[in-house]
Structure formats: C-alpha cells, structure tokens
Amino acid sequence: MPDISSNAMDDNPTLAHVEFYVQDAAVTAAELRRKYGFGIVATAGTAGSGTDRYSLALRQGNITLIATQGEVAEAYVERHGDGVADIAFRVGDVRSAFTAAVRAGARAVRRPGDSGRGDAATAVFGDVTHTLLSRDKSLPPDFSAVRPEYEVRGAGLQELDHFAVCAEAGELGGLVDFWQRAFGFRSVFREYISVGDQGMNSEVVQSAGGDITFTIIEPDPQARSGQIDAFLTAHRGAGIQHVALNTRNIVATLDRLSGEGVQTLDVPDSYYDSLPDRVTVSEYPAHSLRKFGILADEDHNGRLFQVFTRSVHPRRTFFFEVLQRCGAETFGSNNIKALYSAVESERLLSAAETWQ
C-alpha cells in the first residue's frame, strides 16, 4: 500500500459541488430551475463566445449543481451524453489531497498551481473527476456571482445524500480501496443484490464526516445481463447512475415536483398492501405514500422514505432520487429490489417501444 501522509488521511473532505457536462447549459439549468426549484447563483464564461466553457451554477439548500457546455465538455457528451462529470471536494490542503489521490491510483488531470486558480483535479473512474478546492470555496475562482432574476420557489431539497456509481464487473473493490486510501472514507454497508436471475454486488463508502457517500454497484458476470449492464452499454462505461437529494418533508417536495411535471417510477399496489407488515409508518398517511410512489424502509434508528424519478435522459442513464431520513442511516436495503424491479420494467418498456 502506498505511503499516504496522515495529514491527507485526516483531511476530511466535504462536498463542494457536482458538475454536469451537457450539450446546452441553459436548457439544463432551466429544467433544474422550473422542475426542481434550483436558482442560478453564478456563471463562468459566456454563451456563444467561443470560449472553452460556459457554466451556470445553481443552488438550493446546501446543494450546488453546475451545468457546463463547451470544448471542455464536448468529448464527455459525445461519449456519454449529458451526465455527472465532476464531483468536487473541499479539502484543507489541496496539494496534499492531490498527492494522496494520485498515490492511491488516480490520474492527474490538473495539478495544483497549473491553472493559477489554486485548485486541482484527478480522474477517478470512467470519465468522472474530483476537483479539489480549498475549504472556503464551493465553486472554482473563475465563477462570478449573479443577482437572481426573480425569487425562486424551492422544492424543499436540502442536502445531497449520496451518489450511485455503476461500475464495470470487477471494479468495485478497487474503487472502495481508492476512496479509503486517498480520502479516508470508510465502508459502511455491503450486500449482494438478487433480482430474479440478475445479480449485482453493492458496497457503500462514506467520508469520515458523513458528508460524501458513494453507493457502488457492479454486475455479477455469472448472472443474467440486466439494467446495470444496460447502463454500462448505453453510457459507454462506468458512471453516475443517479444522485440522491435529501428533503425534510418528502410529501410536500413530491407535491411540488409532480406539479412541475417530474414523474416517478411506478410502484406496484402490492408494495403498499404489504407495507404495514414490514414498516410502521407514523410520519405520513398511507395514501400519500401510494400517491407519489414513495418507498418506506426502516433500520434500528428510524425510517427512510425515498422515490426515484423517471429518467428523461435520451439514453436512460441518469435520474434523481429524492429521500427523507427520519433517523434512518441505511439506504433502503429492503427497497432495493423494488427499485431495480421498477427500473428493469422501465428498461424493458423502453426497449419494446424502440422496436415498435
């Protein structure tokens, strides 16, 4: 194992922002504003100016998302379509964190000092990078704050709960090892998921402070090909399948989102018929859960409520999860089969429509 300094291991990273590389930043930002209640807070570059990038930064609660188009995004978009290209960390010492990441196996993308901006970046898996920023920044220095054009009515989204990573078969262990050695993450949960004759391995790693969580899934090559294999094929490699956003009132949030046209995956009525036998729900009436397709689970600390939006990505390779934690610290293990069954139904329906 490489000798990584104790300063790097103790330098607990926190989440700065998530950057999407897209074909049209304005269109993506408009969708996040109208449907999900984000507001534009900063920009970088100028649209149509021929610069290498044009970016719009949006915020709601403690969640900062960036939509970027231009030369910097072209290769990513051509290969994968629109998607998550960068997950930026705040760290105490950019140079130390960069060195630790490279020693742990990351590829250097931008070395400290190369840009004159004080940040750095490493490639981690697929075409996803980690930008490293100092503690006092959530955005790169080239962003300029903008005054909102109007008051944005948010949807009650507060935090970014976790990222779902689809990895190639055999890559899961290496990713877990990387985040542990480079940034001091810890493994908090692992399981083998079986849905019919499909199978996949899953492991969850989390930063020491709990601010950043990756749920990593790889297909079992001995099982029948399924939706993870379909993602890897359509996305052309490993990547972020979904981003989970936390709210303090999931029913109110879903009422707002559904009113703006956000659709969620269908959940069979049988799920709600049997729910009282598995979970005692006191927070919301059963009809509200059924109306919005909200799944419920519980662990020894409390309950978890979650929904998964219907993907509008042309390749069906990205969607959002919306969740509320009422004490629960786990990730809806008992709902995973329901999720993957629903996504599998979506995949088969999409395939059938393609052939019609």
Side-chain angles (χ1 to χ4, degrees):
M1 179 181 296
D3 178 21
I4 298 174
S5 70
S6 60
N7 287 338
M9 294 294 287
D10 293 339
D11 185 12
N12 175 38
T14 58
L15 185 64
H17 64 258
V18 181
E19 185 169 17
F20 293 81
Y21 280 175
V22 299
Q23 186 172 9
D24 191 318
V27 169
T28 299
E31 177 117 337
L32 290 169
R33 295 171 77 183
R34 181 177 66 82
K35 289 189 173 182
Y36 290 91
F38 283 83
I40 295 176
V41 295
T43 65
T46 305
S49 66
T51 56
D52 65 342
R53 84 172 199 173
Y54 171 58
S55 299
L56 295 166
L58 302 99
R59 187 169 293 146
Q60 182 175 178
N62 294 318
I63 306 165
T64 301
L65 306 179
I66 299 174
T68 293
Q69 68 179 59
E71 292 180 9
V72 69
E74 285 176 356
Y76 181 100
V77 173
E78 181 178 355
R79 179 174 177 82
H80 306 293
D82 293 2
V84 175
D86 186 81
I87 299 168
F89 293 172
R90 295 189 191 96
V91 295
D93 187 313
V94 170
R95 189 172 297 276
S96 176
F98 174 85
T99 300
V102 171
R103 286 181 176 174
R107 176 172 57 85
V109 173
R110 187 171 60 256
R111 297 179 180 276
D114 279 0
S115 66
R117 306 185 313 182
D119 62 351
T122 62
V124 184
F125 64 94
D127 288 321
V128 178
T129 60
H130 286 325
T131 288
L132 304 173
L133 299 168
S134 59
R135 288 282 185 211
D136 60 337
K137 299 185 183 302
S138 62
L139 294 170
D142 56 336
F143 276 78
S144 299
V146 298
R147 179 175 296 178
E149 296 175 354
Y150 55 87
E151 186 70 23
V152 176
R153 184 169 69 92
L157 301 171
Q158 298 292 326
E159 310 280 350
L160 201 156
D161 191 86
H162 66 269
F163 301 90
V165 178
C166 287
E168 300 277 3
E171 287 187 348
L172 186 151
L175 285 174
V176 170
D177 183 63
F178 167 78
W179 278 308
Q180 288 177 327
R181 291 193 293 142
F183 298 108
F185 281 42
R186 63 187 187 277
S187 176
V188 298
F189 183 77
R190 69 178 66 176
E191 71 172 340
Y192 182 83
I193 304 166
S194 178
V195 181
D197 53 0
Q198 298 178 36
M200 59 206 83
N201 296 304
S202 176
E203 188 161 356
V204 179
V205 295
Q206 192 171 71
S207 60
D211 188 66
I212 308 166
T213 303
F214 294 103
T215 300
I216 314 159
I217 304 166
E218 67 174 6
D220 179 355
Q222 303 302 315
R224 182 174 67 85
S225 177
Q227 63 154 292
I228 303 303
D229 303 272
F231 171 93
L232 294 169
T233 298
H235 186 74
R236 298 179 64 187
I240 301 296
Q241 180 206 46
H242 71 265
V243 173
L245 309 174
N246 198 308
T247 178
R248 294 172 185 164
N249 187 323
I250 195 167
V251 169
T253 293
L254 264 294
D255 185 54
R256 162 76 166 83
L257 297 183
S258 64
E260 296 296 339
V262 176
Q263 297 182 336
T264 57
L265 295 183
D266 294 330
V267 179
D269 285 338
S270 58
Y271 174 89
Y272 297 102
D273 294 339
S274 62
L275 184 61
D277 299 329
R278 184 169 57 83
V279 182
T280 301
V281 177
S282 58
E283 291 84 357
Y284 300 110
H287 68 83
S288 293
L289 302 183
R290 189 185 296 259
K291 175 182 178 181
F292 294 113
I294 300 171
L295 307 174
D297 198 8
E298 64 184 351
D299 59 23
H300 59 284
N301 287 318
R303 279 165 293 283
L304 171 74
F305 300 95
Q306 56 191 155
V307 298
F308 303 91
T309 66
R310 193 181 301 276
S311 179
V312 295
H313 194 288
R315 305 189 192 186
R316 301 291 190 269
T317 51
F318 181 79
F319 55 89
F320 284 110
E321 175 183 351
V322 178
L323 61 80
Q324 179 184 357
R325 295 187 180 277
C326 296
E329 297 178 352
T330 48
F331 297 87
S333 177
N334 292 322
N335 287 328
I336 288 178
K337 288 188 178 182
L339 161 65
Y340 283 99
S341 294
V343 173
E344 181 69 3
S345 296
E346 287 282 304
R347 184 179 74 85
L348 295 175
L349 177 61
S350 177
E353 291 173 346
T354 300
W355 287 102
Q356 288 179 356

